[in-house]
Amino acid sequence: MSDNIEPKESCGCSEAEGIDTELNKKLLRAFLKNNDSVEAALHEDLGHIPDFTTFSWKHMKTVHEVADNLVNEHGDDVDKIIDKLSALKNVYPNSAYADYLSRITFYKHPKTKNLICPPIFQVLPESCFSLDELREGRGSLEVKPPKMATVYESSQSLDPESKLNWWREDIELSEHHANWHAYYPWDQRFDAELEVRRGELFAYMHEQMLARYDFERFAVGLPPVKPYGPGVFWDKSLPEGYNINLHRFSARPGHMSIPDRILFLGQPYVMKDMELHKERLLDAIARMKFLDPSGERVPVTMDGLGCTVESDGNSVNPGYYGNLHNMGHVVIAMMNDPDGRYVIHKGPMYQQYTAARDPVFFRWHKFIDSLFEECRLQMKPRDPIDLNIQLAYTSLKVKNVSIMTDPVSDLNIEKDCLYTKMTKQTFTVYWANGTTPADEHDDKPYEKRYINYPTLEHCPFDYQFTIELKRVIYDSSASIPSEKPEEFDIITYKLMFRVFMAPETGVTDLNQRRRHFIELDSFVQEVKWDLPNLGGTQKFEITRKSKDSTVAMQPIPDIKNINDGNLGNSKSFCGCGWPLNLLIPRGTPTGMKADLFVLVTDWEKDAYDKDAEFTGGAAYCGKSGKPYPDKKPMGYPFDRNFKFHKTKSKRGKDLSTLQDVVGAIPNSAVIPVTIKFLGQEVEK
């Protein structure tokens, strides 16, 4: 399979271009219960699904049809659309259906596509905070400091998984996961020009979630997460229990078992079907050929596999390969009441914005990732020599990489050391009281609540790279520019810096470590070389701030910012991207050892559009209406196994470690780094 993938269009994050701030303020009415004199009956043709989930094909078909009808029926009359959605919110202020419908309707409408929807935690706070936390958050922030949320205080003596409650229950992690799926809805079949290698992105984004979760597990002394799915511990009881402690979600005791069948939306679903669909997927991967509905065999790609495993609108053959990923979420969510006879609320796996809080989410996705890994193992191994960059007239070498943390009072900053601490963040939420529509019809639409919540933060830092360009004999087959060197004075190169990190675990074989690498950043840097004047060699010093990572979620304006018209300078507002506060794993008090790796490649060759910006949360989310910026496979160069030559390194061993590979690839580097956890921040 080729490294370069043909372009498809992206439906990912929106660009903040020409935002109508006044219209954006009006849009908030669809997300906040209010006392407007909007006719209540306006919402009736929108319907309502009380037990709505994005994992149901039936529910998703319904909600997208309603959104399409709203957009098509009212056309340019955006105020009418807002009125209808506002009426629905007033009747069902805590409804996941109403919230999701508003988001996708505004995303579909050309006049509101680039507008900013408020964060989910602000407008559906019961899906993020317990009722106790919401009640404790009553009153003025200035008069009564809110109580710290309970997640950090949870007992860790009986359940080892609770050591990472603070991480799984991070508010912005929930925002990222929910928004990614909202802007890449799995039920939609996008036109060929409006797709973004969505299946590949689904696989890669969740693979990175797993790698980061394992990194955190190593830090607290837990083993890597184990898969859990059909044929993989599926017939045994699930040791992990979990109490999400949120309204409208149920707890799951430990050592429960998957039922033989569930009754979902009035239809029976048996577990043997999931086993059959898994085996059919594995058969396709082994053959590297799917069976399409006409009976023809079509090639397996990572993009096609991702779409088919999730059974999205671009699945090769949903009738044959089933709905494996989504039904896994539903089955696990219904473990404690599989046929609904006790009318128990579903578990957190039932919703996108709560699923990642549950430890079993990562076990389930480890199983899903095992299917993708089978596909990766079928791909031609990557020859490390192929990672060498080939620029016109020039060789490139990474001479030095270092990390420098910004100064912190009372802290002796060490070189190549990253620092984290547990702090607290105050979240302002808008809570509509009451648990039924009848209760919610009152004169008090919502109350502000201020909730202090535990949050991991890292000390800001800079990457510092030194690269060296050295003149070589003209090679007409190399990258641009096409003119010969004597015909111009300055050559401009666009270089892609790919930055990864992996924990030291005692395993040195790169093919065994490959899945532990987390992406920290990918960015494009332009360098200009004065070729005839400098002749032989020129060095470039490049500094990159951690906060600018293209992996990380960019700051999203909240309700106050939207009302004030203060939308900042962010390039992306969809809420997709890894939480910046979780960019660096927690580490340990004594210092957790890790390897930081950088590979520099030729953006002129790698980019679909070399002049397009690679900014915002592009690495995880793509760009709206544009091809995914990078032609390389996602996760490159760790997207598959490496082929090692029987060539001895200087240490007399076969080339098999990261350090060996870097030694053979001049446009790469690796340095040891230390991650120190400073503990919980103390208020002064």
Side-chain angles (χ1 to χ4, degrees):
M1 298 178 70
S2 170
D3 279 351
N4 292 340
I5 302 166
E6 291 306 309
K8 296 180 180 180
E9 295 290 321
S10 166
C11 59
C13 286
S14 300
E15 293 288 329
E17 297 173 354
I19 289 181
D20 183 338
T21 57
E22 291 303 315
L23 182 58
N24 213 141
K25 293 178 187 179
K26 291 182 181 180
L27 176 147
L28 290 178
R29 292 176 45 237
F31 295 97
L32 292 173
K33 184 180 179 184
N34 55 73
N35 288 329
D36 290 352
S37 58
V38 175
E39 184 181 347
L42 276 175
H43 80 279
E44 291 179 355
D45 61 339
L46 305 184
H48 185 250
I49 302 175
D51 205 18
F52 176 76
T53 176
T54 56
F55 294 115
S56 162
W57 184 280
K58 181 179 179 180
H59 288 180
M60 290 291 277
K61 183 175 185 294
T62 298
V63 74
H64 279 275
E65 285 179 351
V66 172
D68 289 336
N69 289 338
L70 267 175
V71 173
N72 295 330
E73 179 182 353
H74 298 291
D76 292 338
D77 193 354
V78 177
D79 287 341
K80 187 69 171 180
I81 295 175
I82 294 174
D83 283 346
K84 285 195 167 190
L85 293 170
S86 177
L88 183 67
K89 179 69 175 181
N90 286 343
V91 177
Y92 303 104
N94 294 311
S95 165
Y97 171 82
D99 184 82
Y100 187 83
L101 174 60
S102 293
R103 292 177 190 276
I104 62 168
T105 299
F106 293 134
Y107 186 74
K108 288 170 180 282
H109 198 288
K111 285 191 174 182
T112 57
K113 181 179 177 65
N114 290 336
L115 299 187
I116 303 163
C117 295
I120 295 172
F121 75 82
Q122 285 201 299
V123 295
L124 286 180
E126 289 186 6
S127 299
C128 301
F129 305 102
S130 72
L131 292 181
D132 287 343
E133 290 162 353
L134 289 168
R135 290 166 183 147
E136 285 288 336
R138 185 190 308 269
S140 169
L141 180 61
E142 288 76 20
V143 174
K144 180 183 177 183
K147 180 182 177 182
M148 186 69 136
T150 56
V151 59
Y152 193 76
E153 302 165 0
S154 61
S155 171
Q156 299 180 2
S157 58
L158 298 179
D159 179 17
E161 297 298 324
S162 69
K163 292 180 179 180
L164 289 177
N165 279 0
W166 62 267
W167 190 87
R168 294 192 314 274
E169 296 176 5
D170 184 88
I171 298 300
E172 292 194 359
L173 177 57
S174 298
E175 286 282 327
H176 157 67
H177 187 244
N179 283 317
W180 191 96
H181 282 280
Y183 290 96
Y184 292 97
W186 63 268
D187 75 309
Q188 293 272 273
R189 176 175 285 279
F190 298 102
D191 294 335
E193 280 102 34
L194 295 175
E195 242 182 276
V196 50
R197 290 159 58 185
R198 183 201 180 283
E200 182 186 0
L201 194 54
F202 168 79
Y204 179 60
M205 190 274 287
H206 287 90
E207 178 195 19
Q208 281 289 289
M209 289 184 75
L210 287 165
R212 287 177 171 279
Y213 189 51
D214 275 346
F215 210 132
E216 301 290 355
R217 293 177 71 86
F218 291 134
V220 297
L222 293 176
V225 68
K226 295 179 180 179
Y228 181 70
V232 187
F233 303 113
W234 201 242
D235 58 341
K236 302 183 184 302
S237 65
L238 177 65
E240 293 88 355
Y242 181 62
N243 180 12
I244 193 171
N245 197 28
L246 295 181
H247 191 41
R248 299 186 180 91
F249 292 94
S250 64
R252 182 189 65 253
H255 300 285
M256 292 196 71
S257 298
I258 291 291
D260 293 331
R261 67 191 291 274
I262 64 169
L263 190 65
F264 180 52
L265 302 180
Q267 298 294 320
Y269 189 83
V270 297
M271 297 309 105
K272 289 183 179 179
D273 288 343
M274 297 186 76
E275 180 70 33
L276 176 62
H277 295 147
K278 181 203 76 170
E279 292 300 326
R280 287 174 174 175
L281 285 164
L282 288 174
D283 177 72
I285 294 168
R287 299 170 182 264
M288 290 304 282
K289 295 284 186 180
F290 283 120
L291 188 68
D292 73 10
S294 69
E296 296 294 321
R297 293 283 179 181
V298 296
V300 169
T301 64
M302 186 60 73
D303 188 42
L305 182 61
C307 293
T308 304
V309 167
E310 198 188 12
S311 191
D312 71 13
N314 296 282
S315 171
V316 171
N317 191 346
Y320 186 73
Y321 294 109
N323 190 6
L324 186 62
H325 165 263
N326 298 317
M327 286 309 300
H329 273 263
V330 172
V331 167
I332 294 172
M334 296 182 65
M335 283 177 74
N336 54 0
D337 192 11
D339 56 12
R341 69 180 67 185
Y342 302 113
V343 198
I344 296 174
H345 288 302
K346 309 294 193 300
M349 286 284 279
Y350 195 69
Q351 296 290 358
Q352 300 285 12
Y353 45 75
T354 55
R357 291 175 169 237
D358 193 331
V360 76
F361 170 88
F362 294 92
R363 294 201 62 183
W364 172 246
H365 271 278
K366 190 75 166 187
F367 162 74
I368 293 294
D369 191 64
S370 70
L371 301 176
F372 298 129
E373 183 63 12
E374 286 295 322
C375 184
R376 297 179 193 114
L377 294 175
Q378 292 288 332
M379 297 177 181
K380 181 181 178 181
R382 188 174 305 290
D383 191 328
I385 302 302
D386 293 338
L387 302 183
N388 271 307
I389 194 171
Q390 293 181 343
L391 297 172
Y393 329 124
T394 309
S395 67
L396 184 149
K397 184 174 184 178
V398 180
K399 296 290 289 184
N400 186 58
V401 179
S402 62
I403 286 177
M404 184 52 66
T405 298
D406 293 355
V408 179
S409 61
D410 302 324
L411 182 64
N412 182 25
I413 300 296
E414 300 175 33
K415 183 183 177 183
D416 299 332
C417 190
L418 300 163
Y419 299 89
T420 67
K421 60 185 176 182
M422 189 65 70
T423 183
K424 66 179 180 181
Q425 182 175 349
T426 300
F427 291 90
T428 303
V429 304
Y430 297 76
W431 185 34
N433 285 306
T435 58
T436 67
D439 295 333
E440 289 160 353
H441 278 110
D442 55 33
D443 294 330
K444 182 181 285 186
Y446 61 79
E447 291 184 8
K448 280 188 181 182
R449 293 289 189 272
Y450 304 98
I451 301 173
N452 274 351
Y453 207 77
T455 304
L456 183 73
E457 297 284 355
H458 64 269
C459 297
F461 64 91
D462 292 344
Y463 303 99
Q464 296 175 338
F465 305 98
T466 303
I467 63 171
E468 179 184 86
L469 297 182
K470 184 176 182 180
R471 181 171 182 175
V472 295
I473 297 174
Y474 170 68
D475 179 1
S476 61
S477 67
S479 180
I480 63 150
S482 58
E483 300 90 347
K484 293 184 180 181
E486 61 269 17
E487 296 175 354
F488 49 84
D489 295 329
I490 297 177
I491 302 179
T492 299
Y493 296 107
K494 287 189 175 181
L495 305 175
M496 168 63 96
F497 286 71
R498 306 173 185 273
V499 186
F500 293 83
M501 184 167 65
E504 286 188 8
T505 62
V507 175
T508 59
D509 185 275
L510 185 54
N511 283 338
Q512 295 182 44
R513 293 188 74 192
R514 175 175 56 81
R515 295 170 76 184
H516 290 161
F517 281 87
I518 62 173
E519 185 175 359
L520 294 182
D521 200 359
S522 295
F523 67 95
V524 178
Q525 178 68 44
E526 187 177 275
V527 297
K528 295 184 177 181
W529 186 26
D530 190 344
L531 178 69
N533 294 332
L534 295 175
T537 302
Q538 185 175 2
K539 289 184 179 180
F540 296 86
E541 304 287 340
I542 297 162
T543 299
R544 172 75 169 180
K545 292 190 175 298
S546 58
K547 68 179 180 63
D548 295 330
S549 170
T550 59
V551 168
M553 180 192 306
Q554 298 303 298
I556 305 176
D558 62 10
I559 289 173
K560 184 179 186 304
N561 295 140
I562 295 172
N563 264 324
D564 294 343
N566 180 20
L567 305 183
N569 297 314
S570 178
K571 292 285 185 180
S572 169
F573 292 114
C574 69
C576 175
W578 193 252
L580 182 61
N581 63 293
L582 299 182
L583 180 67
I584 302 301
R586 196 196 76 165
T588 62
T590 57
M592 184 179 186
K593 302 299 182 183
D595 286 325
L596 187 135
F597 168 82
V598 59
L599 175 69
V600 182
T601 60
D602 184 359
W603 187 240
E604 305 281 357
K605 291 182 177 180
D606 297 347
Y608 284 132
D609 179 0
K610 63 184 178 64
D611 295 321
E613 290 187 337
F614 195 87
T615 55
Y620 281 178
C621 307
K623 291 289 184 180
S624 180
K626 300 174 183 177
Y628 187 84
D630 191 358
K631 287 192 290 187
K632 293 293 187 186
M634 297 174 195
Y636 177 86
F638 301 110
D639 58 295
R640 66 189 69 181
N641 270 350
F642 288 86
K643 173 185 177 181
F644 294 112
H645 301 278
K646 296 300 180 180
T647 303
K648 299 294 182 180
S649 68
K650 293 180 180 179
R651 297 192 298 275
K653 300 178 181 178
D654 290 340
L655 292 171
S656 63
T657 71
L658 180 64
Q659 287 74 12
D660 289 331
V661 171
V662 167
I665 310 300
N667 51 296
S668 68
V670 60
I671 61 168
V673 297
T674 303
I675 310 173
K676 287 189 176 182
F677 176 54
L678 303 177
Q680 185 169 1
E681 187 176 55
V682 178
E683 292 185 65
K684 296 182 180 180

